[in-house]
Amino acid sequence: MVPGATASGSTQKVAEAFPKAFIYPFFLFHMLMFGVAGFLLAYGAQDAAFVYLHGGIAIIVYVVFYLVIFGRDQVQWMFINAALGIVGIYSQIDWILGLSGRHARDYPWYLHVVPVIYYVLYTFLLRQLVLDLTRSRSDPARRRLVEAAYVVVSLAVYGLALWKR
């Protein structure tokens, strides 16, 4: 058990025990590599079984780490945001595929699952990084402002991607 963790499942102390200076660079790089591999496998080889095996195991491991490091409430927020952000995610995947002259609609829905989940996990990590870099995690007023700015910037990026396509 991580120092500071309790058997009752308190994740706040666990989250505080992890050095954030290590977490963000490690996971941003690690997840980027696995996410790129998952993206290339899904839209290149199109072998759904291998995509789910390769990506699924890593995604489960990432979610477990997120639960331990960030806590249940933050991970729940991640999934709620993902459900609300399907249009944004679709626009980004379509934009990335558009760089090679393809479209998201050219592929069956089940090949999008792993890249979409990686996108959700990666943007969650970016949001956590923004909250920590702005030191707004424990300041409710600053946090509302930073989260609002995060949503506005995200919507601007998604809108631009959809408009350009």
Side-chain angles (χ1 to χ4, degrees), residues 2 4 43 57 68 97 101 127 154 157 162:
V2 176
Y43 299 118
I57 292 169
V68 170
L97 287 170
R127 178 181 168 270
S154 296
V157 169
L162 284 170

Side-chain angles (χ1 to χ4, degrees), residues 27 30-31 34 58-67 118 121:
F27 278 104
H30 195 272
M31 194 175 304
F34 270 87
I59 287 167
I60 290 169
V61 171
Y62 287 133
V63 170
V64 169
F65 273 111
Y66 280 14
L67 285 167
Y118 271 117
L121 292 169

